[in-house]
Amino acid sequence: RFFRDHWNALKTQPKNYQNFQGMVLTNELEEKTPAQPLILEQTKEGLSLGSCPVASPRTRCCNLQTLDVIEGCGFDCSYCAIKTFYQPGQVSFDRSFAEKLAKLELPKDKLYHIGTGQSSDSLLWANRWGALDALVDFAHRHPKVILELKTKSKNIEPLLERNLPPNLVCTWSLNTPVLIEKEEHRTASLVQRLEAARKMKKKGGLVGFHFHPLVDYDRWEQDYQSLCDQLIGEFSPEQVLMVSLGTLTFTRPVMKRLRTSLYRSKILQMPLVEAEGKFSYPLDVKRRLFSQVYRWLESWHEKVYFYLCMEDQSLWMDVFSREYPTNEDFEQDMLNSYWEKICLRHGVKQGINP
């Protein structure tokens, strides 16, 4: 009973990162988790273009199409599921990716939303293998493909050197400095991510922000409110395409990997309940996190598209006072909102017709 009570207390009490070291690279850890992953160049059949790998009819999903440019990530976020998709410590790149993407043709009269950040970080590898050049050229050829590059990186210099199409959007996953330091190992700092976003804004591009995952800990309100205030102070809503909200969701393989990892982490110190075949916070915790962050960004409400990423549909009305009956309705509303903002920001100058 003592151990069970102690276990429950650890789960339900807010995390405290004070005096917590996070990643400690001992000799043993360094040997098992090298700073640079093994990079493999392969020739693969076809492009890995398909549906979001975590899409589910049981949660509200925007039906994002995913383009796997690289498989595997060199960052080491404690909560990440990518390492369970691919071989840990290994990154695979298709040497014929640019050639195959150059041959891909999509219908010109249909809107698409394609993201490249589901199998790896979109900008971590910069323009290695010419991948970013290929993506920029693809977006130029397909002006109705809204191409999203999602990242925790600062590596945008190759994009700044190009004439960027208006339908290419860089989005940053954001978190508080303490969580970046303790749980998002090897990623760019918050200062670096926001500086990269400012450079993209100055270039004339639209940017977006993902508060994903929101994490409940003892200073979460002060730290996330400070982050929201910083965003409002540095970016106008006309420059921001979207803000997504989401939180920690684990499969059993991810939890097993975390529990056997040599990294020190507090990320699983939380109440875990079954959530559509996975494990996450109880709905009341999610409701509190999402609603508060949304309120802190109130000045953006009518000008920026907000959504919940892969969350229970019952949360939408409580958080946003709106909801969608189906994933297809969600998808269409998102596409319409994105396209309208792209046209408003670039339409006249770029000659885009909705």
Side-chain angles (χ1 to χ4, degrees):
R1 185 163 55 248
F2 168 79
F3 283 112
R4 184 177 297 277
D5 290 346
H6 182 61
W7 176 58
N8 282 322
L10 284 174
K11 289 197 304 179
T12 55
Q13 292 174 0
K15 301 179 183 64
N16 183 319
Y17 282 100
Q18 187 175 4
N19 300 322
F20 179 72
Q21 289 182 289
M23 178 192 285
V24 179
L25 287 177
T26 63
N27 290 337
E28 181 184 12
L29 182 57
E30 187 70 64
E31 181 180 345
K32 293 189 176 183
T33 57
Q36 295 296 328
L38 174 64
I39 297 176
L40 302 177
E41 294 187 44
Q42 303 172 335
T43 300
K44 302 178 181 179
E45 293 186 10
L47 281 169
S48 297
L49 177 63
S51 300
C52 178
V54 295
S56 167
R58 296 177 293 183
T59 53
R60 273 293 158 263
C61 175
C62 67
N63 292 334
L64 173 73
Q65 295 292 297
T66 61
L67 180 61
D68 294 344
V69 181
I70 299 169
E71 295 180 350
C73 188
F75 291 148
D76 215 345
C77 300
S78 61
Y79 50 78
C80 184
I82 288 179
K83 290 181 178 62
T84 63
F85 298 161
Y86 310 109
Q87 183 68 29
Q90 181 174 299
V91 171
S92 175
F93 182 81
D94 182 2
R95 61 169 62 92
S96 61
F97 170 78
E99 178 185 350
K100 286 185 288 195
L101 186 62
K103 296 178 181 178
L104 177 64
E105 292 296 333
L106 297 174
K108 304 296 185 182
D109 58 346
K110 181 181 177 181
L111 276 175
Y112 291 86
H113 179 203
I114 298 177
T116 67
Q118 277 60 46
S119 61
S120 185
D121 186 279
S122 294
L123 297 181
L124 168 59
W125 307 102
N127 197 32
R128 196 166 182 171
W129 307 288
L132 283 185
D133 282 339
L135 289 167
V136 171
D137 293 341
F138 173 74
H140 272 300
R141 294 198 319 275
H142 295 84
K144 281 203 168 183
V145 172
I146 301 165
L147 186 61
E148 179 179 351
L149 307 182
K150 183 179 178 182
T151 186
K152 295 176 184 174
S153 168
K154 60 179 181 178
N155 299 332
I156 61 164
E157 298 307 320
L159 292 177
L160 299 180
E161 297 169 359
R162 292 290 308 266
N163 174 28
L164 297 181
N167 51 316
L168 185 144
V169 180
C170 288
T171 63
W172 276 265
S173 290
L174 300 181
N175 228 312
T176 63
V178 66
L179 286 167
I180 292 173
E181 178 187 355
K182 307 299 186 183
E183 304 286 5
E184 297 185 354
H185 311 305
R186 297 178 176 137
T187 65
S189 68
L190 176 62
V191 170
Q192 291 170 329
R193 297 181 204 183
L194 292 180
E195 175 61 22
R198 284 193 295 270
K199 288 180 180 178
M200 186 57 61
K201 172 191 73 172
K202 187 176 180 181
K203 178 77 172 176
L206 287 166
V207 298
F209 301 108
H210 299 273
F211 284 81
H212 198 173
L214 286 168
V215 179
D216 189 16
Y217 64 103
D218 59 345
R219 287 186 48 84
W220 81 271
E221 288 186 285
Q222 302 97 303
D223 293 350
Y224 281 112
Q225 183 173 13
S226 176
L227 175 51
C228 291
D229 291 343
Q230 191 172 357
L231 289 181
I232 290 173
E234 297 184 12
F235 299 88
S236 71
E238 291 75 22
Q239 299 162 336
V240 180
L241 182 67
M242 45 66 59
V243 172
S244 77
L245 306 177
T247 189
L248 297 163
T249 302
F250 300 103
T251 61
R252 289 188 185 276
V254 172
M255 290 193 293
K256 181 178 180 180
R257 182 185 60 80
L258 265 168
R259 287 167 175 159
T260 57
S261 171
L262 293 175
Y263 288 150
R264 300 179 69 243
S265 171
K266 281 180 172 281
I267 207 69
L268 282 177
Q269 185 185 319
M270 58 182 280
L272 285 166
V273 298
E274 197 275 335
E276 304 298 343
K278 301 178 183 178
F279 295 88
S280 189
Y281 284 119
L283 290 181
D284 62 326
V285 175
K286 294 185 177 191
R287 194 173 292 110
R288 171 168 53 87
L289 292 170
F290 299 154
S291 298
Q292 189 62 276
V293 172
Y294 184 58
R295 280 195 291 270
W296 289 327
L297 295 169
E298 183 177 5
S299 62
W300 286 5
H301 283 188
E302 301 302 319
K303 299 178 181 179
V304 175
Y305 187 80
F306 286 81
Y307 70 95
L308 298 178
C309 183
M310 293 305 300
E311 294 291 346
D312 190 287
Q313 59 186 353
S314 68
L315 294 167
W316 279 79
M317 186 59 71
D318 291 338
V319 176
F320 299 136
S321 299
R322 78 176 196 273
E323 61 184 355
Y324 300 102
T326 68
N327 289 345
E328 288 68 31
D329 293 307
F330 175 18
E331 175 189 17
Q332 193 58 53
D333 192 41
M334 172 184 278
L335 286 171
N336 291 342
S337 174
Y338 284 9
W339 185 246
E340 181 180 0
K341 176 156 279 192
I342 289 171
C343 289
L344 284 173
R345 186 160 174 79
H346 296 284
V348 175
K349 182 172 68 174
Q350 299 291 342
I352 294 178
N353 296 316

